[in-house]
């Protein structure tokens, strides 16, 4: 049997995890430009200072989420470019058009 204190602690942990998961999902829904712009603002606020330790930690965590989103979007774009270039190269090889002459 668990005490009320243990139940409250467990509820707090679950609630915190739920909020973090929701924040991550919201960050993932952002496009690259939106995430980048928000990340720039987070960095500016951290560099300016004047925030409490808790606010600074929350900003840092948000910045980490936004950086992941930016990295993910850029990795996806790179993969699409690589695939398009590979497809183009394969098409040229099939056509025998490797030296550019007709």
């Amino acid at each position: 049997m668990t005490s009320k204190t243990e139940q409250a602690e467990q509820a707090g942990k679950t609630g915190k995890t739920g909020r973090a998961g929701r924040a991550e999902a919201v960050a993932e829904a952002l496009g690259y430009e939106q995430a980048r712009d928000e990340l720039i603002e987070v960095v500016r606020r951290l560099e300016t200072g004047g925030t409490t330790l808790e606010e600074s930690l929350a900003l840092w965590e948000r910045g980490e989420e936004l950086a992941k989103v930016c990295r993910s979007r850029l990795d996806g774009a790179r993969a699409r470019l690589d695939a398009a270039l590979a497809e183009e190269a394969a098409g040229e090889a099939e056509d025998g058009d490797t030296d550019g002459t007709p």
Side-chain angles (χ1 to χ4, degrees), residues 25-35 38 62 66 69 73:
V26 168
E28 281 292 323
L30 295 175
Y32 171 77
E33 290 81 8
Q34 292 170 311
E38 187 177 341
R62 180 64 177 166
L66 293 165
V69 171
R73 299 286 187 255

Side-chain angles (χ1 to χ4, degrees), residues 32-50:
Y32 171 77
E33 290 81 8
Q34 292 170 311
R36 180 203 59 213
D37 291 346
E38 187 177 341
L39 179 57
I40 289 168
E41 179 62 21
V42 165
V43 170
R44 185 195 63 74
R45 287 183 62 195
L46 284 169
E47 289 178 341
T48 301

Side-chain angles (χ1 to χ4, degrees), residues 12-26:
K13 289 177 186 175
T14 304
K16 186 173 183 182
T17 302
R19 283 192 298 273
R22 283 191 298 274
E24 217 170 280
V26 168

